[in-house]
């Protein structure tokens, strides 16, 4: 399963830039962030054609979309028909996708999503710390290979150390 990543914070805190950067590193595409679809029917094609589902500037989620995002983060089975052969038997497909959401200050995370999500809260960026987007894009492109190498090393180290790890059970000691 992929816990949804929720980036929360005030305007001009760098949430959208961070989301675009993560998407650029892990699943580059021409439209790294999109608005949240208005229906589950619109969400499933996005899951079919993208590895990471990244949605920007969310202030609210409908119960149906909340349920669909929750299922997509853990694996959802859907029935689809091939468009060229309407009489054929439907196919059962399973999708499990990383989900990235940038949310507004008004966003109240539904409980079913919150219990599965990782939430990062951003502080406001002071004016003297902000850089032009073109400079950030150039710096990111220059650093991409080194960042990916560091991420691969971290994953490799974590996988190698799995036998040494103990996972907390969440139970209080008796």
């Amino acid at each position: 399963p992929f816990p949804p990543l929720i980036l929360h914070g005030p305007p001009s805190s760098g949430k959208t830039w961070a989301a675009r950067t993560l998407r650029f590193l892990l699943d580059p595409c021409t439209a790294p962030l999109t608005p949240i679809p208005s229906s589950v029917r619109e969400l499933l094609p996005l899951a079919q054609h993208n590895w990471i589902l990244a949605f920007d500037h969310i202030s609210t989620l409908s119960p149906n979309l909340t349920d669909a995002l929750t299922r997509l983060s853990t694996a959802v089975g859907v029935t689809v028909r091939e468009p060229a052969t309407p009489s054929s038997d439907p196919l059962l497909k399973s999708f499990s996708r990383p989900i990235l959401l940038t949310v507004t200050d008004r966003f109240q995370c539904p409980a079913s999503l919150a219990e599965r999500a990782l939430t990062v809260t951003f502080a406001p960026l002071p004016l003297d710390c902000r850089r032009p987007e073109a400079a950030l894009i150039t710096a990111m492109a220059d650093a991409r290979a080194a960042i990916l190498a560091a991420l691969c090393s971290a994953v490799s180290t974590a996988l190698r150390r799995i036998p040494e790890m103990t996972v907390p059970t969440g139970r209080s000691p008796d």
Side-chain angles (χ1 to χ4, degrees), residues 10 24 27 31 40 42 44 46 49 57 65 70 75 86 103 105-106 119 126 132 137 141 144-145 150 162 164 171:
F24 170 76
D27 186 25
V40 175
E42 292 175 11
L44 292 177
L46 291 172
H49 300 290
H57 200 75
L65 276 174
T70 301
V103 300
D105 283 338
R106 295 187 324 230
T119 300
I137 290 169
R144 183 178 188 193
I162 285 176
E164 304 166 19
R171 297 182 193 158

Side-chain angles (χ1 to χ4, degrees), residues 4 6 61-63 66-67 70 107-117 119:
I6 298 173
L61 285 174
S62 71
T66 299
D67 292 346
T70 301
F107 182 74
Q108 295 294 316
C109 193
S112 62
L113 189 60
E115 65 189 20
R116 293 169 174 80
T119 300

Side-chain angles (χ1 to χ4, degrees), residues 34-71:
T34 61
I36 193 78
S38 59
S39 70
V40 175
R41 184 177 295 268
E42 292 175 11
L43 179 64
L44 292 177
L46 291 172
Q48 248 180 318
H49 300 290
N50 294 276
W51 173 244
I52 296 174
L53 299 177
F55 303 112
D56 191 34
H57 200 75
I58 298 168
S59 56
T60 186
L61 285 174
S62 71
N64 286 343
L65 276 174
T66 299
D67 292 346
L69 290 172
T70 301
R71 288 191 313 269

